[in-house]
């Protein structure tokens, strides 16, 4: 499977449970979000535009994923929305499509556009490595089943690792949503982006 | 790196932060523990004994790891101890030592001895697959640095995935422990085994 195929398999709506472990303080922070994932063709306007922004020839792009999210804060009864969206473009090194450059409109913690690296590992996990000015992020995404995707990332800041973040993502179907709405158990969650 | 080398690099004392995501209820549960990891030679009495218990020739064992843990519950002021220990023996398929049988004295949720499979993936992650009578567990362990190890596991019960568990494990040094003791921030955690 190449990275574009990984994006295609990720298309759809997902319920994401997220936990961040803050290493220095031994604290963990929980959040949840609904994520919508679409794939974009290599010739889509957003893809061409993002390539140009990074000074990269759009002809080299394999396509992209468009991720939008809406986080919820469980302790607030009012409908507070914490939403966002990002595009990630794949520019493969070769025809195999398993390694290459990853162009982002927006990174985890910075609004400026960034270029990272991606590679598919032999377990068909998608790995993303992004170096920012003051920190670096390594992420791995992998499927347990077509409808269950996990994500683990570590953030290194000023030379030391500061957080590890884990997401458990369950594909949303109408059936699953009805069951979730009927569940009486909810917990407080905190704000986060996808 | 073969699996025995992975165990050797895991030797020492670790502070482990753990979160379990319960998929059906979208709940997460936090815990923390101190873990001590030792390696055992193939001819150690515990290794020989565990091989015999499983009806496997001890001559095929590469060695083992002995893991002991002590969990803490942050909301209780009294010193409550939730401790345990387990031995995991590697019986490699071949001289490469990267795949084989994993013998456990004690599994995650059952006290009966179990035989699982292990393999090292191309990113040098250690993967363990254990089938129990009513459930199966897939775990992946990997190092970010020699002193930072992550762990992700999924538990499938009665045909559906029910939990995903993530651990962030930081090697304990005297220096790190002093810093942690001085930290004023602690949070409630729940009981768990390693």
């Amino acid at each position: 499977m190449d990275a574009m195929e990984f994006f295609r398999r990720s298309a759809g709506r997902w319920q994401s449970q997220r936990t961040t472990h803050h290493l220095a303080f031994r604290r963990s922070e929980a959040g949840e979000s609904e994520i919508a994932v679409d794939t974009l063709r290599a010739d889509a306007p957003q893809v061409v535009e993002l390539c140009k922004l990074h000074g990269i020839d759009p002809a080299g792009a394999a396509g992209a994923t468009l991720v939008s999210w809406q986080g919820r804060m469980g302790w607030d009864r009012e409908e507070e929305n914490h939403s966002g969206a990002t595009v990630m473009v794949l520019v493969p090194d070769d025809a195999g499509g398993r390694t290459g450059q990853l162009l982002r409109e927006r990174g985890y913690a910075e609004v400026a556009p960034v270029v990272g690296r991606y590679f598919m590992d032999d377990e068909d996990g998608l790995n993303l490595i992004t170096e920012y000015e003051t920190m670096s992020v390594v992420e791995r995404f992998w499927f347990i089943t077509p409808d269950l995707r996990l994500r683990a990332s570590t953030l290194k800041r000023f030379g030391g690792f500061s957080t590890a973040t884990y997401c458990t993502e369950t594909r949303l179907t109408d059936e699953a949503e009805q069951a979730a709405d009927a569940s009486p158990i909810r917990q407080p969650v905190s704000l986060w982006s996808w």
Side-chain angles (χ1 to χ4, degrees), chain A residues 175-191:
Chain A
E175 205 180 313
E177 279 179 280
Q178 280 165 17
D181 287 344
S183 165
I185 304 163
R186 295 297 289 275
Q187 65 163 3
V189 292
S190 68
L191 169 62

Side-chain angles (χ1 to χ4, degrees), chain A residues 36-110:
Chain A
V37 181
D38 286 302
T39 47
L40 298 177
R41 288 167 42 136
D43 58 2
Q46 299 104 307
V47 176
V48 174
E49 195 185 332
L50 200 51
C51 287
K52 285 182 178 164
L53 182 69
H54 289 286
I56 286 171
D57 182 0
T65 188
L66 166 61
V67 181
S68 56
W69 63 86
Q70 187 159 323
R72 279 180 296 228
M73 300 175 73
W75 63 70
D76 200 319
R77 286 196 172 198
E78 288 183 77
E79 200 56 43
E80 281 197 63
N81 288 331
H82 309 283
S83 58
T86 191
V87 172
M88 292 192 285
V89 173
L90 299 174
V91 182
D93 290 336
D94 55 36
R98 290 177 62 91
T99 63
Q101 287 178 293
L102 182 94
L103 317 184
R104 287 194 209 216
E105 209 176 26
R106 171 182 166 150
Y108 262 109
E110 305 196 6

